[in-house]
Amino acid sequence: MEITCAEALVRCLEMEGVEIVFGYPGGAILPVYDALINSKIKHILTRHEQGAAHGASGYARTTGKVGVCMATSGPGATNLVTGLANAYMDSIPMVAITGQVPTFQVGTDAFQEVDITGITIPVTKHNYLVKDPKMLPKIMKQAFHIARTGRPGPVLIDLPKDVASALINFNYPADVELMGYKPTVKGHVAQINQAAKMIMQAERPVIYAGGGVVNANASEELLWLAETIDAPVVSTLMALGAFPGDHRLFLGMLGLHGIKAANLAVTECDLLITLGARFDDRVTGRIGGFAPNAKVIHVDVDPAEISKNVLSHLPIVGDTKKVLEALLVRIDKKQNVAWNTQVAAWKEEFGPRYMAQGDHLKPQHIIEEIHRHTAGKAIIATDVGQHQMWVAQHYPFTGPRDLVTSGGLGCMGFGLPSAIGAQIGRPDETVVLVTGDGSFQMTLNELSTAAEQGLPLKIFVLNNQRLGMVRQLQEFYCNKRYTAVDFSFVPDFASLAKIYGFKGLTVRTEAELQSALTEAFGEKGPVLVDCSIDPDENVLPMVMAGKAICDAVDIE
């Protein structure tokens, strides 16, 4: 029996186990939306296509599944681009499906036509323009395979309207064969053997965990490695939660706004065991001052990352989980008493801290209180800016996939739609969005989506009536010449939230904070808490441009 290509696409989604699709319809993708009516797949109608991409990203980050989003041609497709770039830089598995004008109009500047495959080449792992209807099932199979294997990432499928309406005999391939795409999963045995020798000989080892540990589901292996070799662990932003934040060996996030103890340990170590991390500039600071005394073991599934920024003395290309499994049987239990005594002293003196005095509520204190009220058992989504760094510094994550944040792209407006995706992906868990007044205003229209879906989100707006991180940068780099960072008008977020069916609370004092926290986490429905904080509060430590990570500006 013949079915339309659009119906075949929906069947492909079903056969890939897709249960949720985030999207926004339009003319060119109408055949696909019409086919969705007969499917059990749940469609989440966001209020903007960017919200659909970020929602799919939040869903993927918290579940480990491939997130799926859809949009129509032209502006619908281009509105997905920021979300695709965000997923690409953070290695998030996604499949985006866009409608396109009919094939005979492609290249004619037709109404709502853009070359979305050309536009998204730099921000997708791969993309397709479907020209032959019979190829669609094969393309769908390939797209999901590419998105979830190797180093995960987004894949885009552009479907012209006439192709979507064409009839085909549906047959979904059982296997995928892609010439030139065979990710290396198992690490080279000789390299792993050498790594074991280097680890056993090291006197001051440090484990540097990146987001690849989360993607590979390698948290247990990471814990075993750290405890077996008695090595302190530092984390990138994307890896927070991959190692228990309350563990004695955990030093916190390293880098530009990293915990000073973590940065000192990396600076003084003699062996840096790097797992699924890419030595981003926000981590390394001045390259010459990054782990200057250390040999570097670098485990990564993407060979392009090896020695790209920092020279690897021992590269191991492979899946982090599989490499660690092979490594753990080759090492013996050891202790590094002198080294860990020194590290513990740094942790005691230079752990997460802040100046507690002042007339305003301290944002760091708010984060700590959210952790206390949730007992650390919550999914935390953030936007981008100062509040993001305060969360990274002061919320000790204890499980992987419990932090949803934009790392590589640093995308303001990511928070609310990604929190929606997280809550839909893990409906029985508490999802908390920590955002800033600047970021929140970029996508607050998605409050309507949250309300429509009946999601019990808890939203905390750290409101300084500023673009806080930009203001901080102007303080340090522009001699306090502030421009375009003050909001002369900020809405009453609590009142605004009530319009969308949220309970809205306003907090200015410690007493109000405690009352609001109790009320928010005791409420079954959605709550927004507008927290007034000091507009001049800075995120510290901070590594200045051109400095090594051990030379951070810190709290005096």
Side-chain angles (χ1 to χ4, degrees), residues 185-187 192 216 218 221 318-327:
V185 175
K186 294 183 179 180
I192 295 173
E221 290 76 12
D319 176 84
T320 301
K321 185 181 184 74
K322 293 188 180 301
V323 170
L324 287 180
E325 287 173 343
L327 179 63

Side-chain angles (χ1 to χ4, degrees), residues 187-253:
H188 194 283
V189 173
Q191 300 294 86
I192 295 173
N193 287 336
Q194 182 61 27
K197 291 180 182 178
M198 292 172 68
I199 289 170
M200 296 309 296
Q201 292 170 358
E203 296 179 354
R204 302 188 307 279
V206 167
I207 299 171
Y208 159 30
V213 176
V214 177
N215 286 339
N217 298 311
S219 293
E220 286 188 14
E221 290 76 12
L222 171 60
L223 179 60
W224 292 342
L225 175 65
E227 292 184 339
T228 299
I229 66 172
D230 197 29
V233 177
V234 300
S235 167
T236 66
L237 175 66
M238 297 305 299
L240 289 172
F243 192 84
D246 54 0
H247 196 284
R248 67 175 180 86
L249 290 171
F250 188 63
L251 300 182
M253 183 178 71

Side-chain angles (χ1 to χ4, degrees), residues 350-371:
F350 301 120
R353 58 205 176 103
Y354 57 95
M355 299 292 287
Q357 67 267 30
D359 297 329
H360 294 83
L361 275 174
K362 287 290 180 176
Q364 303 93 332
H365 174 64
I366 295 171
I367 302 303
E368 290 172 345
E369 287 299 291
I370 290 172
H371 179 266

Side-chain angles (χ1 to χ4, degrees), residues 416 419-420 423 431-433 440 443-461 493-505 519-520 523-530:
L416 178 55
I420 289 171
Q423 187 73 83
V431 176
V432 179
L433 168 63
F440 187 54
T443 52
L444 60 77
N445 54 318
E446 298 300 342
L447 286 172
S448 182
T449 306
E452 185 172 80
Q453 298 299 324
L455 305 179
L457 297 177
K458 314 302 179 189
I459 300 175
F460 290 80
V461 182
F493 290 121
S495 297
L496 181 65
K498 292 174 184 176
I499 295 172
Y500 285 97
F502 279 61
K503 176 170 283 188
L505 305 171
E519 189 170 355
E523 174 69 39
K524 292 184 178 180
V527 182
L528 183 146
V529 184
D530 182 5

